[in-house]
Each structure stands twice: as structure tokens, then as C-alpha cells.
């Protein structure tokens, strides 16, 4: 049980754990991240495609991208990392604040998951307040709303604010946790990348699980340079022993 040895003593009196997760959490489930070659789709920069401008410029292209991601995500299974986070609920209070739109935390059984950037199964009208959840691929793209306007994925695009109710709750959970585990995120995108600061202000222990350095590695109390599916089961086994 080497990886987390240094915080073994402290975890005894841990009551509230918050996980902040990103694309790396689902990488071992076959869902591409936004970094490097993964971050390109048909040579389009994912960060450029996930914008309202790209959608209005070429809604068919953006829908083809989301349809392909829907196909990939619906075929994906939660990995040992997702399962470990879900299992931890047996031992302590766990909240997941995820930037991922793939729903794999919920599929693994996590009961308290806040989707900061929306969900790939949710859609909404670009004009009226129609919203729905669709588990099938669209034959007709861009799909039209009954009001005649085009439907869009109900995700947060760059330049768009996060759903305020979700963000408010996320800030509260972050500022009340005893331990925050930051898994599989480069912490490049704001405001999600400010959540560790709220936890630090509450003197929470900050742990980073990531094979690579991130924007905030120097702020961490413990850095685990390994993958989520390898490190998180070991993290949870520490609670089993206690
Ligand atoms: C907003 C949903 C108010 C859609 C997403 C200039 C400077 C600073 C900020 C800005 C700026 N200009 C604009 C901004 C704000 C902008 C921003 O942060 N831009 C960045 C690029 C600089 N933020 C916004 O626009 C946000 N809204 O601020 O509203 C506002 C409004 C108007 C104007 C200003 C402000 C909205 C952000 C949300 C955008 N939507 N997704 C979709 O998914 O299609 S963001 C999307 O990209 C993801 O959700 C995620 O958040 C991000 C990707 O980051 P990660 O998840 O961390 O993934 P990444 O690939 O980067 O890294 C993977 C990591 O995993 C790596 O570290 C890797 O080492 C590690 N890893 C890999 N394998 C594993 C692993 N770790 C563990 N195990 C493994 N196996
Ligand atoms: Zn409509």
C-alpha cells in the first residue's frame, strides 16, 4: 500500500471527500482526452469545435463530432478508477465534480455526481426552452426541435457560463471537503480549475492522480504519477483496512 502511505494517518478523520475529475479519468475506458493527438477530431481542434460560433458556422459538422462521441461513449464501460470512486461511498461521504460529459461515474454507481460541463445524452433547443435526454444516435443532423429551430447538445461550450445552480453547489462542496482528489485533469479550463483553491482555503488535503504534471501540481500535498484505474483502487483499499 505504498502510493498513499504519507497520508494514511490523516485519512482516519476524513469525513468528506470531493473528487474533481477530467478526461483522463475516462481515458482507460477508451474515451479520448482533449490533449495531444486525442484533442484533434478530423484535424479540428476540439477546443475550437466546442464553441457556439463553430455550431452556428457549421451545425452539421459539430453534430457529426458529437454523434461520433456519443457512439464512442455509449460503447464505453466504467474502468477500475470509476468503480473505486463509487465503492468509496461505503466508507465515507463522496461527491464527484466532473468536467466529463460521458456519464461514466454514474454508470459506475456514484450517487452524488455534479456534471459541470453538461452531459452528452442531454439536448436542448437553441431557441425555445425545450430540453430532453436522447440515448440513440440521430439519423437526421442537425436534428430539429418541434419549434423548427435546431437542437444542440446540452453541454457548456467555451465562452458559455456553467449552469449556475451546479456551479454554486460545486463551490460549496469544494470549500467544505476534508480531502480533494484531483484525477485526470490538466486544470487548464476555468472555472473548474479553481475548485482546488476553494478546498485549500478549507485546509483540505489535496491529492493529484495524473501520469503528468498539471497547472497546480506544486499546490498539492501528495502527487501520484500514475493512472486513475491503477491508483484509485489502491486509494480505496486504504479505507477498507481502517
Ligand atoms: C466560462 C464540454 C464565463 C463540451 C468543455 C483565456 C484565459 C483563461 C480562461 C479563458 C480565456 N478565454 C476564455 C476563458 C475561459 C474558458 C477557458 O478556461 N479556456 C481555456 C481553454 C483557457 N472557460 C470557459 O469558456 C468556461 N466558461 O468561463 O464562462 C465566461 C463567459 C464568457 C467569456 C469568459 C468567461 C466554459 C468551459 C467549459 C467548456 N466545455 N466541455 C464538450 O466536452 O464537448 S471543456 C472540456 O475541456 C472538458 O470538459 C474539460 O473541462 C476540458 C479538458 O480538460 P481535461 O478534462 O483536464 O482534459 P485534458 O485532455 O486537458 O487533460 C487530460 C489530463 O488527464 C492530462 O493532464 C493527462 O495527463 C491526464 N491523463 C491522461 N490519461 C490519464 C490521465 N490521468 C489519469 N489517468 C489516466 N489514464
Ligand atoms: Zn425549440
Amino acid at each position: 500500500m505504498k502510493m498513499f502511505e504519507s497520508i494514511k494517518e490523516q485519512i482516519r478523520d476524513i469525513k468528506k471527500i470531493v473528487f474533481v475529475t477530467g478526461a483522463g479519468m475516462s481515458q482507460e475506458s477508451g474515451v479520448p482526452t482533449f490533449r495531444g493527438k486525442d484533442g484533434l477530431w478530423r484535424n479540428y481542434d476540439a477546443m475550437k469545435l466546442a464553441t457556439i460560433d463553430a455550431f452556428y458556422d457549421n451545425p452539421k459538422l459539430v453534430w457529426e463530432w458529437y454523434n461520433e462521441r456519443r457512439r464512442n461513449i455509449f460503447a464505453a464501460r466504467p474502468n477500475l478508477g470509476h468503480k473505486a470512486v463509487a465503492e468509496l461511498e461505503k466508507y465515507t461521504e463522496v461527491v464527484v465534480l466532473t468536467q466529463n460529459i460521458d456519464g461514466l461515474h454514474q454508470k459506475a454507481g456514484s450517487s452524488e455526481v455534479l456534471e459541470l460541463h453538461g452531459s452528452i445524452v442531454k439536448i436542448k433547443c437553441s431557441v425555445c426552452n425545450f430540453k430532453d435526454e436522447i440515448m440513440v444516435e440521430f439519423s437526421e443532423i442537425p436534428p430539429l426541435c418541434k419549434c423548427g429551430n435546431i437542437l444542440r447538445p446540452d453541454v457548456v461550450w467555451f465562452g458559455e457560463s456553467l449552469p449556475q445552480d451546479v456551479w454554486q453547489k460545486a463551490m460549496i462542496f469544494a470549500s467544505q471537503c476534508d480531502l480533494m482528489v484531483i484525477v485526470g485533469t490538466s486544470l487548464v479550463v476555468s472555472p473548474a480549475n479553481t475548485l482546488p483553491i476553494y478546498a485549500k482555503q478549507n485546509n483540505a488535503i489535496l491529492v493529484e492522480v495524473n501520469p503528468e504534471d498539471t497547472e497546480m501540481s506544486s499546490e498539492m500535498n501528495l502527487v501520484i504519477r500514475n493512472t486513475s484505474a491503477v491508483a484509485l483502487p489502491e486509494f480505496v483499499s486504504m479505507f477498507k483496512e481502517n
Side-chain angles (χ1 to χ4, degrees), residues 7-232:
I7 61 168
K8 194 169 172 52
E9 288 324 303
Q10 291 154 294
I11 64 155
R12 249 180 246 300
D13 25 322
I14 295 286
K15 304 267 172 305
K16 293 181 178 183
I17 298 183
V18 165
F19 286 84
V20 172
T21 70
M25 183 85 208
S26 300
Q27 187 269 333
E28 291 155 290
S29 295
V31 180
T33 70
F34 284 68
R35 307 266 86 200
K37 65 172 184 18
D38 269 7
L40 286 180
W41 179 77
R42 293 188 196 167
N43 295 330
Y44 291 94
D45 172 352
M47 298 261 189
K48 298 253 177 335
L49 276 174
T51 63
I52 192 74
D53 305 342
F55 184 69
Y56 282 127
D57 289 1
N58 188 339
K60 191 166 180 312
L61 178 76
V62 171
W63 262 113
E64 277 165 4
W65 181 44
Y66 279 97
N67 249 358
E68 192 161 311
R69 292 173 69 186
R70 288 163 78 87
R71 232 187 336 265
N72 165 261
I73 285 169
F74 292 161
R77 292 278 150 276
N79 60 56
L80 294 177
H82 295 107
K83 291 178 181 155
V85 173
E87 193 196 357
L88 190 58
E89 293 185 12
K90 291 188 203 140
Y91 307 101
T92 184
E93 194 190 322
V94 177
V95 171
V96 178
L97 308 178
T98 189
Q99 299 165 77
N100 300 341
I101 63 175
D102 58 33
L104 290 177
H105 282 296
Q106 297 93 322
K107 259 194 203 145
S110 284
S111 60
E112 184 72 50
V113 180
L114 292 186
E115 297 177 307
L116 304 173
H117 297 161
S119 162
I120 198 145
V121 293
K122 292 187 178 143
I123 57 161
K124 64 182 179 181
C125 178
S126 51
V127 175
C128 77
N129 56 14
F130 171 79
K131 281 185 181 259
D132 197 354
E133 295 208 358
I134 301 281
M135 296 304 284
V136 294
E137 220 183 292
F138 289 100
S139 48
E140 231 349 86
I141 52 173
L144 297 183
C145 172
K146 60 185 181 317
C147 76
N149 290 292
I150 45 178
L151 292 172
R152 56 164 284 177
D154 192 356
V155 296
V156 180
W157 280 331
F158 288 98
E160 296 183 326
S161 334
L162 277 55
Q164 281 319 297
D165 55 335
V166 173
W167 181 242
Q168 292 304 325
K169 272 197 258 169
M171 287 191 284
I172 293 163
F173 281 127
S175 35
Q176 292 177 346
C177 70
D178 309 313
L179 171 68
M180 177 176 276
V181 188
I182 297 133
V183 188
T185 179
S186 56
L187 291 174
V188 166
V189 170
S190 70
N193 60 1
T194 64
L195 291 167
I197 299 165
Y198 289 98
K200 203 161 183 80
Q201 280 159 357
N202 189 45
N203 303 322
I205 301 166
L206 297 187
V207 176
E208 178 177 84
V209 175
N210 193 315
E212 291 171 24
D213 263 14
T214 74
E215 301 286 316
M216 290 183 74
S217 296
S218 56
E219 308 283 324
M220 302 294 163
N221 301 96
L222 176 61
V223 169
I224 305 292
R225 287 279 165 264
N226 208 317
T227 71
S228 54
V230 171
L232 295 181

